[in-house]
Amino acid sequence: MDLHFLSQKSVCQSTIGMGRRRVSYACSGSTEQSTETSVLVIYTGGTIGMVLHDGVLSPEPNALFENVRKLPFMHDEQYAQNTKLYERYKPEKKILVLPKSKLDMRVVYIFLEYSPLLDSSNITPDDWVTIGKDIERNYEKYDGFVVLHGTDTMAYTASALSFMCENLGKPVIVTGSQLPIFEMRSDGRDNFVGALLIAGQFHIPEVCLYFHDKLYRGNRVTKVDSGSFKAFASPNLPPLADLESDIKINWDTVRPLSPNGKFTVCKEMNHNVGLLRIFPGITTDTVKAFLKAPMDGVILETYGCGNAPSNRKDLLDEIHKATQRGVIIVNCSQCLRGTVTISYATGQALSQAGVIVGFDMTQEAALSKLAHVLAKRDLSLEEKKKMMTKNLRGEMTAEPEGAKLSISDSRFIQIIAKTLSVGCKEELEGIRDALMPTLACAAAKNGDTEVLEAIRNMGTDLNKPDYDGRTPLHIAACQGHLNIVDYLLDKGASVFAKDRFGDTPLRNAILLRCKDAVEMLNKYGAHLSRDELQDTGTELCRLAASGDLEGLKIWKLAGVDMATSGYDGKTPVEVARAFGCKEVVDFLEAA
Ligand code: ASP
């Protein structure tokens, strides 16, 4: 914990809940408290920070930061001073903090401004890689990420990032605006604040696009309006969240974390991909020229539910020749809404020519997915084709999920509701929300998957903490109930949730020496937070002093650096030597 920055008289600090860090500070003669989270803002350019030069808009370095820091609803200078924010976040330079949110949180945000700032029409796949690398480099330091970007190619970037980010466990929110933030009427302020609030306050492990009060899955959106503030649509998936007077997250739509290990960013993209739109009378020469080498993959924009002229043998022959040469051609519809099926002869003709089905992917998602998949050198052509038809990041609609029990189907809640004489949906939901987190924690303690499943089916978010800020995953990790840890992770439980003491499930599993739980959490990309790592050296030295080899081994398993020094600057191996623990010295020297 960063206790050192606090002057004893005015400020003290501890950690808490999902919000990561509790900060107390003196304000108007009394002491106030709030919870801090941190977000990295990657500012790539776009209208949001543009200024008029000779009658045309272009991005201006530093202008956005300088403007935002003067807006009281985007930066609380008094809080920054009271809590010595700038000293705490040194050496970062561009640091701002939002006023306290409705959830009693403070989102601290740090600007990483690109140079040059770009109009998004000038963005290329190399820029996607730069953004991905910056997220990867800073992944462990922040609770979430906001990418400020122009709207023109925002859907492409959001889609590409979604495929590039493997095992993403934190929110990455892409946003921008239709009007510069400096103008009297601008959507930039709302979009920016909304994106920060989501990135800083919610465990949504996805690349999302936030615009005009709606949070969308990043690979489901497309720009549909060049003038309206409602510039984006997600035609085949409802929003992940609605930001109205309250923030309402649609947890059923949010994708859970995948169980494949640490977060990484795939940095390779195949550039030989393209979009080919079918239109009445398209010539064979056009198709032939488009499909010729070095083209590796093409999104074929077809009519309706995946149709192209079946009476054009010349055209189908060219397509067939290309697929035979190993060009991957994916059938996506020109229609905004709906999916590609092979229900017409005209669609079947394409299938026979080797074209694969793109279901309900947007063209932006399909193209960036193709660039991502085709760059995978270790996959065969067949494997790449298979990957294109697989739902990788929620970009296409999988089979309809089994019908879920609605809240009113739940006998348990019904009985309680009857006892308390409540009947309306809102009251039922209130009871559910009050009771379920505690019941879910109890089920996790008892190792009861069935009860957890029933609770989940009632629409309860299994990430909701109990009165102590502990989630079912904290409890299961402490108990060493591996099946429950596995179940919860599979259902999207966040490995980054923090309890009232600032502890993550990983730290709980380490302290209670549940080795298997540590391994499983590792698989889902868990890591100790910045605050948790603060005291680690001292703990390692304590274990070294008492010759506790097993204890040290479990910290190592969790990925902790065994050379971390304690409060007095001594390393664990120095302590072990001083105490004459040979076995421990040998282990630490080899670590
Ligand atoms: N041309 C601008 C861009 O994409 C449009 C915008 O940001 O809205 O960067």
Side-chain angles (χ1 to χ4, degrees):
M1 278 174 257
D2 298 332
L3 283 166
H4 57 271
F5 75 91
L6 307 160
S7 97
Q8 250 194 332
K9 205 170 106 240
S10 61
V11 196
C12 69
Q13 178 194 332
S14 65
T15 52
I16 190 172
M18 177 219 154
R20 292 111 217 195
R21 181 180 308 177
R22 181 71 106 179
V23 177
S24 308
Y25 55 101
C27 183
S28 328
S30 63
T31 302
E32 285 196 18
Q33 286 209 329
S34 46
T35 300
E36 257 183 31
T37 68
S38 58
V39 171
L40 180 68
V41 176
I42 299 175
Y43 173 32
T44 68
T47 299
I48 190 163
M50 287 192 190
V51 176
L52 264 182
H53 291 286
D54 302 326
V56 290
L57 284 170
S58 58
E60 167 130 335
N62 219 22
L64 182 63
F65 175 78
E66 287 303 332
N67 178 272
V68 164
R69 69 190 285 212
K70 289 186 209 123
L71 302 174
F73 55 90
M74 292 206 70
H75 174 58
D76 187 342
E77 180 61 24
Q78 197 180 0
Y79 174 85
Q81 296 295 343
N82 282 348
T83 61
K84 299 195 173 11
L85 185 78
Y86 305 121
E87 286 155 51
R88 281 190 284 139
Y89 276 85
K90 236 175 179 169
E92 309 289 0
K93 291 195 179 64
K94 294 183 169 178
I95 306 158
L96 298 172
V97 57
L98 289 184
K100 197 191 270 194
S101 74
K102 268 190 169 181
L103 297 178
D104 202 16
M105 288 193 188
R106 294 273 183 175
V107 179
V108 175
Y109 55 114
I110 281 100
F111 260 70
L112 174 59
E113 180 169 315
Y114 282 4
S115 178
L117 290 165
L118 293 174
D119 184 302
S120 78
S121 305
N122 293 325
I123 290 256
T124 68
D126 292 339
D127 299 305
W128 302 340
V129 173
T130 306
I131 301 169
K133 280 186 184 163
D134 280 326
I135 295 173
E136 189 175 50
R137 197 173 305 128
N138 290 288
Y139 187 71
E140 303 210 343
K141 289 199 239 155
Y142 296 94
D143 299 306
F145 300 84
V146 167
V147 179
L148 294 180
H149 196 287
T151 57
D152 287 348
T153 64
M154 191 183 281
Y156 287 95
T157 300
S159 295
L161 287 175
S162 79
F163 297 114
M164 290 161 66
C165 291
E166 297 272 0
N167 307 315
L168 181 65
K170 301 183 181 186
V172 174
I173 316 295
V174 188
T175 193
S177 65
Q178 292 281 49
L179 289 177
I181 207 162
F182 319 107
E183 292 195 11
M184 190 192 288
R185 284 183 60 250
S186 167
D187 51 338
R189 294 181 283 267
D190 274 356
N191 288 348
F192 194 5
V193 172
L196 286 168
L197 289 175
I198 295 163
Q201 301 191 117
F202 298 95
H203 291 299
I204 298 179
E206 295 210 46
V207 176
C208 305
L209 188 148
Y210 177 70
F211 224 86
H212 197 57
D213 303 333
K214 301 264 183 242
L215 183 73
Y216 303 106
R217 179 168 299 148
N219 53 34
R220 288 293 196 149
V221 281
T222 192
K223 185 171 175 182
V224 289
D225 200 318
S226 62
S228 161
F229 287 164
K230 211 172 157 200
F232 289 89
S234 171
N236 290 311
L237 190 80
L240 304 187
D242 297 278
L243 274 73
E244 286 165 7
S245 54
D246 285 316
I247 298 179
K248 187 174 178 303
I249 312 284
N250 305 314
W251 288 110
D252 283 348
T253 317
V254 174
R255 269 169 75 80
L257 258 177
S258 66
N260 298 321
K262 291 260 175 229
F263 172 71
T264 50
V265 172
C266 302
K267 297 160 198 94
E268 302 259 331
M269 285 277 160
N270 185 315
H271 292 223
N272 295 320
V273 291
L275 294 159
L276 177 61
R277 188 178 177 92
I278 297 282
F279 54 90
I282 187 170
T283 67
T284 315
D285 285 343
T286 303
V287 174
K288 193 174 171 179
F290 196 86
L291 294 177
K292 78 169 197 260
M295 196 56 97
D296 290 322
V298 170
I299 305 303
L300 193 67
E301 297 177 34
T302 55
Y303 308 129
C305 50
N307 305 315
S310 57
N311 58 359
R312 290 281 308 275
K313 188 168 174 319
D314 53 331
L315 209 131
L316 290 168
D317 278 351
E318 283 310 323
I319 291 173
H320 194 213
K321 276 190 233 158
T323 57
Q324 292 283 296
R325 284 199 306 273
V327 180
I328 296 184
I329 306 184
V330 186
N331 185 351
C332 287
S333 175
Q334 295 173 12
C335 293
L336 260 188
R337 196 162 287 122
T339 189
V340 166
T341 56
I342 312 290
S343 37
Y344 290 89
T346 40
Q348 213 157 47
L350 284 177
S351 261
Q352 279 155 6
V355 175
I356 57 178
V357 173
F359 300 100
D360 60 350
M361 274 191 287
T362 60
Q363 281 142 23
E364 293 89 336
L367 187 79
S368 55
K369 183 175 178 180
L370 197 52
H372 166 75
V373 168
L374 282 170
K376 299 212 167 282
R377 293 162 210 253
D378 48 338
L379 297 186
S380 67
L381 180 66
E382 277 318 303
E383 285 169 325
K384 286 176 188 165
K385 280 193 195 164
K386 210 158 163 206
M387 204 165 169
M388 279 309 295
T389 54
K390 223 174 119 187
N391 183 15
L392 302 181
R393 305 278 193 271
E395 72 280 8
M396 52 171 59
T397 307
E399 298 79 63
E401 286 176 29
K404 284 192 179 137
L405 280 176
S406 81
I407 184 169
S408 50
D409 291 331
S410 158
R411 232 176 86 69
F412 176 77
I413 294 289
Q414 293 272 310
I415 291 166
I416 292 180
K418 214 166 157 195
T419 316
L420 299 178
S421 316
V422 296
C424 78
K425 188 170 174 280
E426 286 70 26
E427 283 175 328
L428 283 171
E429 280 175 352
I431 293 174
R432 177 195 68 183
D433 292 346
L435 287 178
M436 288 304 147
T438 309
L439 290 178
C441 286
K445 181 158 194 296
N446 296 335
D448 197 332
T449 330
E450 259 178 50
V451 172
L452 278 174
E453 181 68 5
I455 291 172
R456 195 174 97 87
N457 283 339
M458 286 177 204
T460 301
D461 167 19
L462 291 179
N463 271 318
K464 281 247 169 79
D466 69 0
Y467 48 85
D468 236 0
R470 295 173 64 68
T471 63
L473 188 60
H474 280 97
I475 313 282
C478 285
Q479 296 292 320
H481 286 324
L482 222 55
N483 60 330
I484 303 289
V485 174
D486 193 21
Y487 167 84
L488 289 167
L489 289 170
D490 185 52
K491 298 291 178 253
S494 172
V495 292
F496 301 117
K498 290 189 185 169
D499 66 13
R500 189 158 66 90
F501 312 100
D503 287 353
T504 58
L506 179 61
R507 186 171 154 89
N508 283 185
I510 296 170
L511 293 180
L512 284 138
R513 306 203 173 182
C514 301
K515 184 170 159 282
D516 294 339
V518 170
E519 277 175 340
M520 192 168 283
L521 290 162
N522 277 347
K523 265 204 329 188
Y524 280 78
H527 62 77
L528 294 173
S529 69
R530 200 192 327 220
D531 287 338
E532 285 175 317
L533 285 170
Q534 295 268 335
D535 301 329
T536 304
T538 303
E539 175 64 11
L540 296 181
C541 289
R542 193 186 64 73
L543 294 169
S546 56
D548 191 340
L549 188 58
E550 286 314 305
L552 287 165
K553 279 185 178 165
I554 198 146
W555 282 93
K556 178 155 190 293
L557 186 68
V560 170
D561 180 3
M562 290 288 110
T564 312
S565 46
Y567 68 93
D568 58 356
K570 289 211 172 57
T571 61
V573 72
E574 286 168 347
V575 173
R577 278 195 205 109
F579 278 81
C581 308
K582 174 148 181 359
E583 215 186 349
V584 173
V585 172
D586 291 347
F587 167 74
L588 290 170
E589 280 177 348

